[in-house]
Every structure is written in structure tokens, then in C-alpha cells.
Amino acid sequence: MRPPHTITFENKKSMTDYDDRRDRRRDRDRDYDDRDRDHHHRSGRHRRSNRRSRSRSRSRSRSRSPDYHHHRGGRGRSGSGDYHSERGGGSSSDRGAPSGVPSGVPTGIPQPVAAAAPLGGAGGVPPLSNIGAVAASTAPALSGSLAMMSAAAQSAQDKINRELFVGNTPPGTSEALLMQFLNGAMRRVNLCPPDHTPILNCRTNAKFAFVECASVDDANRTLNLNGIPFLGASLRVSRPSKYAGPHVPSQTWQQLTGQPLPPGMTPVPENTGGSPEEKINRELFVGNTTPEMTESMLKDFLGRALEQVGLTSMPGNPILACRVSGKFAFVELRTKEEAANALNLNNIPYLGAQLRVGRPSKYTGPETPHGNWEDILAKFMSGELQLKNMNGQAPAPAAPAAAAAPTPAASQQQATPIVVLKQMLTAQDLEDDTEYNDILEDTRDECATFGTLKNIVIPRSGPGATKIFLEYLTVEDAAKSIAGLAGRTWEGRKVEAVYFDPVKFANQDYSD
């Protein structure tokens, strides 16, 4: 209801005018109410149709429902309130507006969503002013993790510095035996105190082993066992390939003790601390190998050939290692000078094939002048062997057969087209005719690869029994045969190949 007003009427006319104005005002308000009710009915139908076509969002339905229920519920004349809001004069809608809605805005209109809380508010990311505190709180854990990682890396590197590689171990070598032997050798030559155990652990493989020393200093001292004889082999003691520390000078066992290397053992290279490039300079590629050629056979054959024609710089087999892979192989020599000299073995015949000897593809050093096996053999036979080493200087010419022959008997003989093979057969090999003929044919096929073979004689009795005599067309062919056959193994026996007197051979005198 409208609040009562106190009005003073001066006369009847004034009261009549007042009543007229009141009636007109009531009619106008009724017209406004009817007009507003029609407007809300139409907007209600429009909203209901839109509500069916749009997704039923809760936020939108809530924004509509108060106004809708307000008009339907009859709790007041919202029409007049809306009217006055639109006209700017009513206050009922202002009093009933939800919190956060500006004054004068109808409540039925969807309002903008409130802005998100700024960073650093409840449930948000810490403000920039707190990043330093967060970093400070996590720094101890991070530094602790880094310290643990650094300690683990240092421990792994320390173990590598304490490990050593031991090569040329005989097959079947036990870990306990090798450790006991090396520890005893260290104490015997005063490389460690008598009550100290420098080698703690050992891992053996087929042809090599790894030992772990108690300290880096013990590992440095153990390097002086390089070349120590062990069960008929000369042990190769060196750093493992993954070692990246500084080079520590050391001696070989022979240099340390003054004891010569026992006969038949191959000397090992010194620990010079060479780089991978230095090893490449000592490696050679060997092509045209056949499946029956093993690593030991190639190593022994090529090493003997180098020794025979005087291409080595020290006694013993100059080839340290050999790796066979299908139709080719790689050999490692003791020095880069011997590797350069070994290039002259190119085209050397072996087991029916001509071996191709050259630098590996990864070699990037200077080109080394060299000849082929035929050239070297011809110069060797004439005593005019002149080779160029890595420095471009010509070494002293190799002596004729007397200085480079593989056996004493050959050094006392003049080079001839006749070759005799000793220690290849036994008396039992000659008893059976079938076996004798097989040996004769196999030997003919093998020895014909070195040159033109005119005749082959295998006496079954008399002073020439168990010997094989080969008659070649030229002296050069005979020299090739000796280079290819001397030192080879036949059923566990090392073959001896020497020249034989052609006059005695023609008279069938096969005595020495």
C-alpha cells in the first residue's frame, strides 16, 4: 500500500481535482501493469523456447530463474520495478539485486563471470616474491642429489684407474692362479711391501683378463709386469681401452729384471701411452683371406715372412695381434716402422691365394712407398734389399739368405731351386699306400701355389725318409716356397724349409 499522505484541502474544487488526478494515475498504472504483464508473458515463452534449443547450463538457468519466479510468484509487482529500473527511477530492483551486480542493472540479464583470482591467491601459484623462498627450501635436496651423482661418477672413474688389462693368458687360466702369480711377482721384485696384496680381484676370459688393484699407485706399479712369462706365454699388462687418465711411464719385465725373454715367446710392446691414432699407424689390412685361414696361422705366416727377409727391427714375431673377419683380416704390429715394412708383403701367396696387404681405410697418415712381395724377394735374393721406412730413409740392406733365413741349416746353404721340407711327416705316414698318395697330391697342390713346381719327391726309406723334396723352375719360386712354408705347423710339428743341393738331388742323394 502507498504510505498515507497528509493533505490539506482548501476547497471542494481542489479536492475534486485531486480525485481526478488520482484516478488518472491509477488508470495509468493499471495500463502499465497490463502492458508489463503482456511483455513478461511474451518474454517467458521466448525464454522457454530458447531454453529448449540451448544447452541446459546451470549458470544461465539460475540467472533466469529468480526473475522468472519473481514474476510468477506474486510477491510484488516486479513489472513496475523493472519499469522504474529501465526508466531510472525505481529502487525496489536495487534493493533486491544480488551481491556484486551493479545498481540499476536488471537481475534477469546474465552477468559476466567474476575474474579469476590473481596469482598467489588461494590455491594458485606462489607469488614471485615467494620464489626465492621456494628455491631456498629445495636447494639442500638438489645439492644433495648432485653431490651423490658426483660421488658415484668419481667412484666409477677411480675403479677404471685401478683396473688393468692382462692379455695373452693361456686358455683355462684360473682367476686365483693369475692373482697369486702376479701378487707374488710384485713382492719378489719389491714393487710392493712383502705383506701387501696389490691385486684384489680378477676376471678372466678366453684369451685375456682384467685385474683390479687396491689403489691407483698399485696399478701404476703393476704396469711393470708387462711381458712377464706365464705358462709359456708373455703376458701383456696395460691400461684398459676405457682408461682416460694420464700416461704413467713403466718398464717391461725384461727391462726391470734384466732377464731375457725365453725362446719361442713373442715379445710384447711397451706401454708408451700411444693414442688411438698411433695404433692405427701400426695396423694393416689383409685381404683375400680364405675360410681355412685362422688368426694364429696368419699371424705366424706373416711374421715369419717378415723375419726371413729382414724386415723386422727386433727379434721375435713382429705381429702382436690378428683379427679375421670373413674374407679379410687386420694385423697389429709392434712398431709403425715394422708396419710400414710389412706393406711389402702385398701379393704374397698363401694357401692358394694372394694376400693383399695395405693400410686400413681409417688410416690418414702419409703415403708410404713400398713394393710387392715379388720385388722384395728379388731384391732379397740379390742382396740389394732397400726399403723406405716412415721417415723416408733407407735402412741398411738385408743380408742375403745367410742373415735372414729362418733356420741355421738354410743359412749355410746357397739359394737353389731345390727345397727340402723337414719334420712334416713320420714313418707311420709312409706305410699305407693310399695315405702316401694322398700326402703326395696334397703337398703338390699346396706347394704349386708358390711357383712352377717341376717335381716332388717323398722317399719312403733311406736317409731321405720323412722328408719332402721340391724342385722349382727358378730360385725365386723356391724362395717363395720357403717364405710360405717355413715355421708352419703340421699335425703339431713345426715345419722346417731350407734349400737343398741340386747336385745331390739329381743323384738321388737325399742325405743331409
Side-chain angles (χ1 to χ4, degrees), residues 81-349:
D82 290 341
Y83 169 76
H84 290 295
S85 297
E86 292 174 359
R87 301 287 293 181
S91 62
S92 62
S93 62
D94 293 345
R95 289 191 301 269
S99 175
V101 179
S103 174
V105 177
T107 58
I109 301 177
Q111 301 300 316
V113 180
L119 290 176
V125 179
L128 295 178
S129 59
N130 294 341
I131 291 181
V134 174
S137 63
T138 58
L142 180 60
S143 61
S145 301
L146 294 177
M148 293 178 61
M149 293 173 60
S150 176
Q154 185 176 1
S155 176
Q157 185 61 44
D158 178 71
K159 183 179 180 181
I160 293 175
N161 296 339
R162 293 186 291 107
E163 278 190 339
L164 292 177
F165 169 83
V166 181
N168 299 335
T169 56
T173 301
S174 66
E175 299 174 352
L177 177 62
L178 186 60
M179 286 179 54
Q180 184 179 5
F181 173 78
L182 296 178
N183 283 324
M186 294 279 288
R187 301 187 190 103
R188 188 167 64 252
V189 295
N190 298 323
L191 290 176
C192 69
D195 57 346
H196 182 57
T197 303
I199 300 176
L200 303 179
N201 296 313
C202 177
R203 307 190 312 273
T204 59
N205 205 316
K207 296 181 180 179
F208 59 88
F210 288 95
V211 296
E212 180 182 353
C213 299
S215 65
V216 177
D217 183 64
D218 287 333
N220 297 337
R221 294 175 181 271
T222 307
L223 288 172
N224 295 280
L225 299 185
N226 184 35
I228 185 173
F230 175 70
L231 298 179
S234 180
L235 296 183
R236 174 77 169 102
V237 182
S238 63
R239 298 286 188 184
S241 59
K242 56 186 176 181
Y243 175 78
H247 170 62
V248 179
S250 61
Q251 296 178 301
T252 64
W253 177 260
Q254 287 72 34
Q255 295 171 342
L256 179 66
T257 61
Q259 301 175 357
L261 189 67
M265 289 190 183
T266 302
V268 297
E270 300 181 12
N271 291 318
T272 58
S275 61
E277 290 76 11
E278 192 270 340
K279 183 180 180 181
I280 293 176
N281 294 335
R282 294 187 291 106
E283 278 191 339
L284 292 180
F285 169 84
V286 181
N288 296 337
T289 59
T290 57
E292 59 268 16
M293 297 181 188
T294 63
E295 296 177 354
S296 59
M297 291 172 62
L298 282 173
K299 178 181 176 182
D300 185 71
F301 170 72
L302 297 176
R304 287 283 183 175
L306 289 171
E307 289 182 276
Q308 182 189 5
V309 295
L311 299 181
T312 58
S313 58
M314 64 184 74
N317 191 335
I319 300 179
L320 302 178
C322 177
R323 306 189 312 273
V324 176
S325 178
K327 296 183 178 181
F328 59 89
F330 291 94
V331 294
E332 179 185 353
L333 289 98
R334 290 179 298 196
T335 64
K336 61 181 182 180
E337 290 78 15
E338 288 178 325
N341 290 343
L343 291 172
N344 295 280
L345 299 182
N346 187 40
N347 290 336
I348 186 172

